[in-house]
Amino acid sequence: MDSKKYFAESELIINPDGSTFHLHIHPSQLADKIILVGDPARVELIAAHFQQRECETTNREFHSVTGTYKGKRITALSTGIGCDNIDIVINELDALANIDFQTRHAHTYLRQLEIVRVGTCGGLQPYTPTGTAICSQISIGLDGLLNFYASRDIVCDLPLEQAFLQHMGWNGHLCTPAPYAVHADEELTQRIAANDMTRGITIAANGFYGPQGRELRIQLADPQQNQKIESFQYNGMHITNYEMESSAVAGLARLLGHKATTVCMVIANRVAQKAETGYRNDILHLINTVLERI
């Protein structure tokens, strides 16, 4: 880690109270184990299990509680929706862990974080009906976020990216994202998924409607998008689900030296065209599982 690099005020914005610009978290308030959720209200579902609560912060869609669960210090944090918010969250979490806010220089050591995103998703296979828990072993990001960072090729699965683009038949005139494919941390994925979660490739879309093949009043550029995604295979793996954050979580974590994975509960199966909005109990069970295994 380059401890000599100075992070200017315009690049790392620190609030007058010494907290990060968006998250409003102080360095001392951050745990090494972090559970990310999209919905700010879902943070309380996690924090309700804490035997001790240290602190709580709220700013915009970013709500955090740090506390202790069975002797494990954990920070629960909401991100809102989308990989653009994940860019804010992961970078500010890393800054809290690895930059001295007084000197604005990086620490000489790496403080490695364990990050698990818990969310909801859409199933893309007949074997991923509503209620299925899916751990994203690999994520394909359609958001383009990681392409703005040097060394993205080092952490990405380049053959998978090429195979996916070729299978989709996308070109400069049709559906022009530059997908990136990144693996979640192997050890953390094994620990969280264990033997009772489905694993597969996840598409992290840059929108909920068109980018996930939903057509309302605007015609899709590629009406066959979902059928092609569902039929894609790579080294015996299929694309199991759509969500909107896993690629950025895994990719940025890898670039920064952290461990990360994503687990989601299927609340809509796109193949069967079925959805379940009363999924609270399933999410509660998934949260309990992650708390035990993180």
Side-chain angles (χ1 to χ4, degrees):
M1 188 176 297
D2 185 3
S3 59
K4 296 181 180 179
K5 182 176 180 180
Y6 178 80
F7 302 95
E9 292 182 9
S10 60
E11 310 308 293
L12 174 61
I13 303 176
I14 300 173
N15 295 320
D17 67 354
S19 65
T20 46
F21 184 59
H22 296 94
L23 304 185
H24 283 214
I25 298 174
H26 293 261
S28 63
Q29 297 174 327
L30 180 68
D32 288 343
K33 296 178 182 291
I34 301 163
I35 300 176
L36 301 181
V37 291
D39 184 356
R42 206 168 285 164
V43 170
E44 185 56 38
L45 297 181
I46 300 170
H49 294 81
F50 292 167
Q51 284 83 42
Q52 179 183 2
R53 295 168 68 129
E54 295 179 24
C55 56
E56 183 170 0
T57 68
T58 300
N59 180 51
R60 300 189 182 186
E61 59 266 64
F62 308 113
H63 178 205
S64 75
V65 177
T66 294
T68 304
Y69 177 78
K70 294 187 177 180
K72 296 181 288 190
R73 189 168 184 251
I74 297 171
T75 295
L77 170 66
S78 62
T79 66
I81 298 174
C83 285
D84 50 346
N85 278 9
I86 296 300
D87 184 60
I88 292 171
V89 169
I90 299 297
N91 274 291
E92 291 197 7
L93 289 175
D94 177 75
L96 286 164
N98 290 300
I99 296 177
D100 187 322
F101 278 25
Q102 300 299 317
T103 66
R104 291 183 167 274
H105 291 279
H107 297 308
T108 56
Y109 56 88
L110 173 69
R111 178 184 170 191
Q112 187 180 63
L113 305 174
E114 288 187 355
I115 303 167
V116 179
R117 166 174 140 67
V118 178
T120 57
C121 67
L124 289 170
Q125 298 297 334
Y127 59 83
T128 59
T130 57
T132 302
I134 298 178
C135 189
S136 303
Q137 190 169 345
I138 305 173
S139 293
I140 298 176
L142 304 186
D143 53 282
L145 174 65
L146 221 63
N147 299 327
F148 288 89
Y149 290 93
S151 303
R152 60 83 77 198
D153 285 0
I154 296 175
V155 301
C156 288
D157 188 329
L158 303 183
L160 171 54
E161 293 175 5
Q162 292 303 313
F164 179 72
L165 275 173
Q166 183 176 1
H167 178 82
M168 296 301 292
W170 287 346
N171 55 54
H173 302 287
L174 177 68
C175 293
T176 57
Y180 61 92
V182 60
H183 292 243
D185 181 80
E186 185 175 352
E187 185 279 327
L188 188 59
T189 296
Q190 175 61 34
R191 191 189 337 148
I192 299 297
N195 298 316
D196 53 8
M197 293 186 190
T198 298
R199 305 185 200 189
I201 303 172
T202 295
I203 295 285
N206 56 347
F208 186 77
Y209 290 96
Q212 295 189 36
R214 288 184 171 94
E215 184 174 311
L216 299 185
R217 294 204 316 114
I218 305 174
Q219 185 176 358
L220 297 175
D222 184 358
Q224 302 304 311
Q225 173 179 315
N226 280 10
Q227 289 90 329
K228 289 187 286 186
I229 286 175
E230 290 158 13
S231 65
F232 178 72
Q233 293 188 51
Y234 182 76
N235 289 344
M237 299 181 68
H238 293 85
I239 294 175
T240 48
N241 58 319
Y242 268 128
E243 54 85 75
M244 296 177 64
E245 291 87 16
S246 63
S247 58
V249 171
L252 291 174
R254 280 198 172 273
L255 286 173
L256 290 165
H258 303 300
K259 304 174 72 169
T261 195
T262 292
V263 292
C264 287
M265 184 62 61
V266 176
I267 64 169
N269 184 274
R270 306 300 298 284
V271 178
Q273 296 187 321
K274 298 291 185 181
E276 175 57 65
T277 56
Y279 54 82
R280 177 183 169 88
N281 288 338
D282 288 333
I283 284 291
L284 287 173
H285 177 72
L286 188 58
I287 286 171
N288 289 338
T289 300
V290 172
L291 281 167
E292 290 292 331
R293 296 175 182 175
I294 194 171

